[in-house]
Every structure is written in C-alpha cells, then in structure tokens.
Amino acid sequence: GDSVTQMEGPVTLSEEAFLTINCTYTATGYPSLFWYVQYPGEGLQLLLKATKADDKGSNKGFEATYRKETTSFHLEKGSVQVSDSAVYFCALSKGSWGKLQFGAGTQVVVTP
Amino acid sequence: NAGVTQTPKFQVLKTGQSMTLQCAQDMNHEYMSWYRQDPGMGLRLIHYSVGAGITDQGEVPNGYNVSRSTTEDFPLRLLSAAPSQTSVYFCASSPPGLSTDTQYFGPGTRLTVL
C-alpha cells in the first residue's frame, strides 16, 4: 500500500539555521504531496503542496520540490525562527476525495 | 467562518464507557473525516464521509461508529472505550472531488481511557 516515511525527530536547531526534513513516499499512480504543520496545542494546517512532478510548493519561507525520480518531497527553510518550532507532517493523497496518508511527523525545536 | 470545530477539548473515560466526539464545519464542505494521532505513527484515518448520508471506513475503524445526517456535522462514537483508544482525535473537512484539495483540521480532542 501507499506509505510516507520522514526523518525522525526531534530536530533541534539554533535560530537562523538551515532546516531540512527528509520525506520519501511509496505510491502507485500520481499522488499529490503535502506538508502540514502542527503548532503546539493546535490542529494541523497546510504549509505547502505540490500536485505533479517537478512542482515546487512554497509558503512562509519553506520550500519543497516534488521529485518523482527519487520519490521525495523534502522540506527546506533557509533561516528558521523560534516561531517555526512545531511538528511537521509529510502526506500524500491520490484519487478522488483526497484521503491523506501521513508520515509519522518530525518535531522541530528552534532555540534562540 | 468558525472553520472546523470540535468538542470537547479534553475527555477522560473509564474502560467500557461510551461517548460521542462532536465535529462541525461551516464551510459547506462535502468531505469530512476523522483521524487519530498517536506518537510515532502520524495521523491515521478512522472514518470518512463524502456527503450527507454516506460514510466509509478508513485505516483503523474498529471500535468507532460515525453517521452523517447533515453536511455540517460528523460525530464520532466510541461504543465501549478501551485504553488503546487513548489518543488525540482530529476532524477534517475539504471541498469535494480533488486529491489536490487542502484539508482543514479542527483543534483536536485529547481522549484518555483509564
């Protein structure tokens, strides 16, 4: 079946450091790929998405490129802030009605 | 718009008790779903609905029931709570039809079963 694998956390960084969170997927067909973020005590919210190969999603300084050849969708940010501390989930969806298949989540902690 | 709302925020149950987790959305979304979040496992789909009167099972449906009598509401029922159902539960909704659509999540219900 379809699955999403992302790097384990927690990832601890200093403010202004570069962040990468690796995400790879296994799926038949042509899934859409998403990054959702969960801030402490809140529900998930969409961070960015890409719907076809080579698409780049971007939002709030975060970027991820849909790489079909490596089945990857790695999340990057060039300079993190304390406010980026959260849990980040990689997910895929395909077919109609968009049921999401999530990775396990990666906790990111940014210290001043 | 209030978006997706869930009640209660926290709940403690004893083994064998039943309860209903409420979910409502005011965005006129056809698609609604319930997920549970467990450490190290991400979110797993429990049940989903593609419109009023239509529901189906997700990845982990055992021990849970749902119904969808209106577009706005999608309650999740625990029939006989077990410690394995201790989790954080999220409701989500989205417009119909496309896998590219964003899903909108509620704030969650943290359930503890003793």
Short mmCIF file of all heavy atoms in Angstrom, two decimals, chain B residues 41-64:
data_model
loop_
_atom_site.label_atom_id
_atom_site.label_comp_id
_atom_site.label_asym_id
_atom_site.label_seq_id
_atom_site.Cartn_x
_atom_site.Cartn_y
_atom_site.Cartn_z
N MET B 41 3.37 7.62 14.98
CA MET B 41 2.56 6.98 13.94
C MET B 41 1.85 7.98 13.05
O MET B 41 1.08 7.59 12.18
CB MET B 41 1.54 6.04 14.58
CG MET B 41 2.18 4.98 15.46
SD MET B 41 1.01 3.77 16.05
CE MET B 41 0.73 2.85 14.56
N GLY B 42 2.08 9.24 13.25
CA GLY B 42 1.38 10.23 12.44
C GLY B 42 -0.11 10.20 12.69
O GLY B 42 -0.57 9.84 13.78
N LEU B 43 -0.88 10.56 11.69
CA LEU B 43 -2.33 10.53 11.78
C LEU B 43 -2.84 9.37 10.94
O LEU B 43 -2.38 9.17 9.81
CB LEU B 43 -2.94 11.84 11.26
CG LEU B 43 -2.97 13.01 12.22
CD1 LEU B 43 -1.60 13.63 12.37
CD2 LEU B 43 -3.98 14.05 11.76
N ARG B 44 -3.80 8.65 11.49
CA ARG B 44 -4.40 7.52 10.77
C ARG B 44 -5.89 7.76 10.62
O ARG B 44 -6.57 8.17 11.56
CB ARG B 44 -4.12 6.22 11.51
CG ARG B 44 -2.65 5.81 11.51
CD ARG B 44 -2.45 4.51 12.27
NE ARG B 44 -2.68 4.70 13.70
CZ ARG B 44 -2.79 3.70 14.57
NH1 ARG B 44 -2.70 2.45 14.15
NH2 ARG B 44 -2.98 3.94 15.85
N LEU B 45 -6.40 7.45 9.45
CA LEU B 45 -7.79 7.70 9.11
C LEU B 45 -8.70 6.66 9.76
O LEU B 45 -8.50 5.46 9.60
CB LEU B 45 -7.96 7.68 7.59
CG LEU B 45 -9.33 8.02 7.03
CD1 LEU B 45 -9.70 9.46 7.34
CD2 LEU B 45 -9.34 7.78 5.52
N ILE B 46 -9.72 7.14 10.47
CA ILE B 46 -10.66 6.24 11.15
C ILE B 46 -11.88 6.00 10.26
O ILE B 46 -12.21 4.86 9.89
CB ILE B 46 -11.12 6.83 12.49
CG1 ILE B 46 -9.91 7.15 13.38
CG2 ILE B 46 -12.06 5.87 13.21
CD1 ILE B 46 -10.27 7.92 14.65
N HIS B 47 -12.61 7.05 9.95
CA HIS B 47 -13.78 7.00 9.07
C HIS B 47 -13.82 8.29 8.27
O HIS B 47 -13.25 9.30 8.68
CB HIS B 47 -15.09 6.91 9.88
CG HIS B 47 -15.37 5.57 10.47
ND1 HIS B 47 -15.79 4.49 9.74
CD2 HIS B 47 -15.31 5.16 11.76
CE1 HIS B 47 -15.98 3.46 10.54
NE2 HIS B 47 -15.69 3.83 11.77
N TYR B 48 -14.53 8.23 7.15
CA TYR B 48 -14.70 9.44 6.37
C TYR B 48 -16.09 9.44 5.73
O TYR B 48 -16.78 8.41 5.69
CB TYR B 48 -13.61 9.60 5.31
CG TYR B 48 -13.61 8.54 4.23
CD1 TYR B 48 -14.19 8.79 2.99
CD2 TYR B 48 -13.00 7.31 4.44
CE1 TYR B 48 -14.18 7.82 2.00
CE2 TYR B 48 -12.99 6.34 3.46
CZ TYR B 48 -13.57 6.60 2.23
OH TYR B 48 -13.56 5.65 1.25
N SER B 49 -16.46 10.62 5.25
CA SER B 49 -17.77 10.79 4.63
C SER B 49 -17.63 11.70 3.42
O SER B 49 -16.96 12.73 3.49
CB SER B 49 -18.76 11.40 5.62
OG SER B 49 -19.93 11.81 4.97
N VAL B 50 -18.26 11.31 2.32
CA VAL B 50 -18.18 12.13 1.10
C VAL B 50 -19.44 12.94 0.90
O VAL B 50 -19.59 13.61 -0.12
CB VAL B 50 -17.89 11.26 -0.13
CG1 VAL B 50 -16.55 10.56 0.02
CG2 VAL B 50 -19.00 10.25 -0.38
N GLY B 51 -20.34 12.92 1.88
CA GLY B 51 -21.55 13.72 1.81
C GLY B 51 -22.56 13.21 2.81
O GLY B 51 -22.40 12.12 3.38
N ALA B 52 -23.61 13.98 3.03
CA ALA B 52 -24.65 13.58 3.97
C ALA B 52 -25.22 12.23 3.59
O ALA B 52 -25.55 11.99 2.43
CB ALA B 52 -25.75 14.64 4.01
N GLY B 53 -25.29 11.34 4.58
CA GLY B 53 -25.82 10.00 4.38
C GLY B 53 -24.84 8.98 3.85
O GLY B 53 -25.18 7.81 3.69
N ILE B 54 -23.59 9.39 3.61
CA ILE B 54 -22.59 8.49 3.02
C ILE B 54 -21.35 8.46 3.90
O ILE B 54 -20.72 9.51 4.11
CB ILE B 54 -22.18 8.94 1.61
CG1 ILE B 54 -23.42 9.13 0.72
CG2 ILE B 54 -21.22 7.93 1.00
CD1 ILE B 54 -23.10 9.80 -0.59
N THR B 55 -21.02 7.29 4.44
CA THR B 55 -19.81 7.14 5.23
C THR B 55 -19.07 5.89 4.81
O THR B 55 -19.65 4.98 4.21
CB THR B 55 -20.11 7.06 6.74
OG1 THR B 55 -20.88 5.88 7.00
CG2 THR B 55 -20.88 8.28 7.22
N ASP B 56 -17.79 5.83 5.15
CA ASP B 56 -17.00 4.65 4.83
C ASP B 56 -15.85 4.54 5.82
O ASP B 56 -15.52 5.51 6.53
CB ASP B 56 -16.46 4.73 3.40
CG ASP B 56 -16.18 3.35 2.82
OD1 ASP B 56 -16.18 2.35 3.58
OD2 ASP B 56 -15.95 3.26 1.60
N GLN B 57 -15.26 3.34 5.87
CA GLN B 57 -14.19 3.08 6.82
C GLN B 57 -12.85 3.52 6.28
O GLN B 57 -12.58 3.43 5.08
CB GLN B 57 -14.15 1.58 7.13
CG GLN B 57 -15.39 1.06 7.80
CD GLN B 57 -15.29 -0.43 8.11
OE1 GLN B 57 -14.37 -1.10 7.68
NE2 GLN B 57 -16.24 -0.94 8.85
N GLY B 58 -12.02 3.94 7.21
CA GLY B 58 -10.65 4.25 6.87
C GLY B 58 -9.72 3.12 7.29
O GLY B 58 -10.09 1.95 7.25
N GLU B 59 -8.54 3.49 7.74
CA GLU B 59 -7.49 2.52 8.06
C GLU B 59 -7.74 1.81 9.40
O GLU B 59 -7.42 0.63 9.55
CB GLU B 59 -6.15 3.25 8.10
CG GLU B 59 -4.94 2.40 8.38
CD GLU B 59 -3.67 3.25 8.47
OE1 GLU B 59 -3.75 4.48 8.22
OE2 GLU B 59 -2.61 2.69 8.82
N VAL B 60 -8.29 2.53 10.39
CA VAL B 60 -8.44 1.98 11.74
C VAL B 60 -9.86 2.20 12.27
O VAL B 60 -10.07 2.91 13.25
CB VAL B 60 -7.39 2.58 12.71
CG1 VAL B 60 -6.01 2.05 12.41
CG2 VAL B 60 -7.40 4.11 12.64
N PRO B 61 -10.87 1.54 11.71
CA PRO B 61 -12.26 1.84 12.07
C PRO B 61 -12.81 1.09 13.29
O PRO B 61 -13.85 1.48 13.82
CB PRO B 61 -13.02 1.39 10.82
CG PRO B 61 -12.20 0.24 10.30
CD PRO B 61 -10.77 0.62 10.58
N ASN B 62 -12.12 0.03 13.73
CA ASN B 62 -12.70 -0.83 14.76
C ASN B 62 -12.89 -0.08 16.07
O ASN B 62 -11.98 0.57 16.57
CB ASN B 62 -11.82 -2.06 14.97
CG ASN B 62 -11.84 -2.98 13.77
OD1 ASN B 62 -12.72 -2.88 12.92
ND2 ASN B 62 -10.87 -3.86 13.68
N GLY B 63 -14.09 -0.22 16.63
CA GLY B 63 -14.41 0.41 17.91
C GLY B 63 -15.04 1.78 17.78
O GLY B 63 -15.36 2.41 18.80
N TYR B 64 -15.22 2.24 16.54
CA TYR B 64 -15.78 3.56 16.29
C TYR B 64 -16.94 3.47 15.30
O TYR B 64 -16.92 2.68 14.37
CB TYR B 64 -14.72 4.49 15.67
CG TYR B 64 -13.43 4.59 16.41
CD1 TYR B 64 -12.34 3.79 16.06
CD2 TYR B 64 -13.27 5.50 17.44
CE1 TYR B 64 -11.14 3.89 16.73
CE2 TYR B 64 -12.06 5.61 18.12
CZ TYR B 64 -11.00 4.80 17.76
OH TYR B 64 -9.82 4.90 18.42
#
